Amino acid sequence: MKIAILSGDGIGPEVMAEALKVLDKASSVYKFSVETTEALVGGAAYDRYGTPLPKETLDICSANEAILFGSVGGPKWENLPPNLQPERGALLPLRKHFSLFANIRPVKVYPNLIGLCPLKDELIPNGIDIVMFRELTGGIYFGQPKTISEDGMSAVDTMSYTKKEVERIARKAFEAARLRKSAVLSVDKANVLMTSVLWRKTITELRDSEYQDIELSHMYVDNASMQLVKNPSQFDVVVTENMFGDILSDEAAMLAGSLGMLPSASINESGFGLYEPIGGSAPDIAGRGIANPIAQILSAALMLRYSFGRDDAAKAIEQAVEKTLADGYRTGDIYQKKEGEKLVNTKEIGEHIVGYIE
Ligand code: NAD
């Protein structure tokens, strides 16, 4: 496995170090070899090369099969022009360059972290375990025309989708469902939007022709946003278009209680992917060795699953995280001062996770 390591700024390098230890252990237990190449990105790259995404870094990414990304940004670079800012100048061009059309966001509330979820405990007796598939390169964010009239009195955005765009994200969701409960929920607004009519028809046809083993259901986006806070345990694999996914995935993320727990993946048709925590560089705690590395570690697990087809090793990492939490080890962001909990730092929790990989 050839992996580009882009740790970035703030807590990025601290949490990446733990993810690399976990990968190393998984590779020896599951017998695969990992070759990593580090490259600068974000503020760190700007300081050295005057740009947040230098050509050297892009070349290294292209020469590898996946990118494990930390986080970028911080107060030092906040006032740069937009195209030189770490997030806008590095992450968006990377997504575009590699045509990363499928954004995958798992949200898990572990039974012993239920107290962190802002919902009442009785609403989620069994925790939450959702994987959201968001179409990332089409829809209303990119459709043309997109303009404001010269007199400033009207504006237009265009929502458009092709059958091919719908099919390729649906395929990713169906494939993932095969590794889970063999069920996919598609979220749309087919009672109002023509793009949603096409979306629903395309996904239904694909299920009927190629994924008859998967149970497919549909829900309108307004209902989905209500159900996420009313009965989130009903969701498993969810697939939706760009704007709905943008909003619903952030709503779902909040259920987990801490940004330090949430990984994500953005992949393209050939399986090349960028894997990163959904949180940022956390400048408020950077350099203190107390950040939660679990989001970064789970991002590495997603990489094994989606870019390298190693669901076995991915599951072993996820189970190691679960066991570590069940033993009571907590970084500050997930510490609830409950009996049996032990407050630990970034390295310590990383070591416990490594120890549990079998
Ligand atoms: P943030 O996600 O960095 O931090 C928000 C809060 O969550 C902070 O209190 C932080 O300490 C906490 N947090 C985040 N990750 C954590 C972890 N792993 N362990 C413990 N606590 C954690 O968001 P922000 O403060 O709005 O942004 C800080 C910088 O990060 C900005 O420059 C922003 O542009 C950038 N950013 C980058 C990305 C990215 O690289 N993908 C995403 C979001 C924000």
Side-chain angles (χ1 to χ4, degrees):
M1 299 178 186
K2 293 184 67 188
I3 305 162
I5 305 294
L6 274 54
S7 303
D9 309 313
I11 61 167
E14 301 167 41
V15 293
M16 185 66 84
E18 302 313 306
L20 292 178
K21 283 185 211 157
V22 167
L23 256 186
D24 187 49
K25 174 76 183 286
S27 74
S28 70
V29 175
Y30 284 84
K31 311 258 177 291
F32 54 83
S33 70
V34 174
E35 189 187 314
T36 57
T37 311
E38 300 204 15
L40 290 177
V41 72
Y46 176 80
D47 287 349
R48 173 99 168 259
Y49 296 99
T51 164
L53 185 63
K55 185 176 176 306
E56 287 83 345
T57 297
L58 201 55
D59 288 346
I60 287 173
C61 293
S62 300
N64 281 275
E65 297 165 293
I67 304 168
L68 192 56
F69 193 95
S71 49
V72 290
K76 187 176 170 195
W77 306 283
E78 238 163 45
N79 298 318
L80 291 171
N83 64 326
L84 292 180
Q85 283 192 11
E87 231 183 312
R88 218 180 307 174
L91 260 178
L92 299 187
L94 274 173
R95 286 188 187 140
K96 194 162 172 220
H97 183 84
F98 291 104
S99 308
L100 305 174
F101 72 88
N103 185 233
I104 308 171
R105 296 254 296 245
V107 176
K108 190 159 177 158
V109 175
Y110 298 84
N112 37 27
L113 292 187
I114 278 181
L116 291 175
C117 175
L119 300 183
K120 290 191 191 108
D121 292 2
E122 56 266 34
L123 285 177
I124 47 165
N126 305 317
I128 295 172
D129 189 359
I130 305 172
V131 186
M132 205 164 275
F133 283 74
R134 165 188 170 195
E135 202 290 324
L136 201 58
T137 53
I140 198 162
Y141 294 170
F142 297 97
Q144 294 294 336
K146 177 188 265 310
T147 183
I148 297 186
S149 65
E150 267 176 32
D151 63 4
M153 299 300 282
S154 67
V156 62
D157 289 293
T158 305
M159 190 179 225
S160 87
Y161 266 107
T162 64
K163 216 171 149 70
K164 185 174 167 268
E165 285 173 316
V166 182
E167 264 173 13
R168 62 183 189 175
I169 182 80
R171 216 175 271 287
K172 296 282 180 200
F174 285 136
E175 299 290 341
R178 281 193 172 144
L179 297 172
R180 292 171 59 95
K181 294 184 180 158
S182 293
V184 168
L185 172 73
S186 169
V187 172
D188 63 34
K189 188 75 183 167
N191 51 344
V192 179
L193 298 174
M194 292 321 289
T195 43
S196 283
V197 171
L198 178 80
W199 181 275
R200 192 176 281 217
K201 184 168 177 286
T202 306
I203 287 190
T204 305
E205 283 170 4
L206 186 65
R207 194 224 75 114
D208 291 347
S209 61
E210 292 178 45
Y211 296 95
Q212 289 156 6
D213 54 317
I214 306 293
E215 188 191 318
L216 173 67
S217 52
H218 305 274
M219 193 181 275
Y220 294 137
V221 62
D222 40 352
N223 188 23
S225 89
M226 288 194 288
Q227 295 298 329
L228 266 176
V229 288
K230 189 170 170 235
N231 177 15
S233 306
Q234 70 183 288
F235 294 96
D236 191 62
V237 173
V238 178
V239 62
T240 192
E241 65 89 49
N242 201 347
M243 180 170 61
F244 299 161
D246 189 5
I247 298 165
L248 290 182
S249 62
D250 271 9
E251 185 186 356
M254 276 303 96
L255 300 175
S258 170
L259 284 174
M261 298 292 296
L262 295 164
S264 77
S266 302
I267 57 181
N268 70 17
E269 236 147 337
S270 63
F272 181 95
L274 182 149
Y275 298 83
E276 54 167 340
I278 73 160
S281 57
D284 53 336
I285 57 166
R288 292 166 56 194
I290 57 168
N292 185 347
I294 291 179
Q296 190 75 61
I297 290 168
L298 292 175
S299 298
L302 290 184
M303 176 182 74
L304 294 176
R305 173 172 297 128
Y306 292 113
S307 281
F308 298 108
R310 291 305 299 258
D311 193 53
D312 53 350
K315 277 210 178 96
I317 293 173
E318 289 161 354
Q319 279 160 8
V321 167
E322 207 155 342
K323 282 186 189 152
T324 301
L325 295 172
D327 277 353
Y329 296 106
R330 307 276 187 269
T331 42
D333 58 312
I334 54 172
Y335 183 56
Q336 301 168 83
K337 299 196 178 93
K338 281 207 226 151
E339 209 188 316
E341 286 191 335
K342 293 161 269 236
L343 182 62
V344 291
N345 64 27
T346 310
K347 277 204 172 91
E348 287 163 337
I349 202 162
E351 277 158 21
H352 284 290
I353 295 168
V354 167
Y356 270 129
I357 293 172
E358 50 195 28

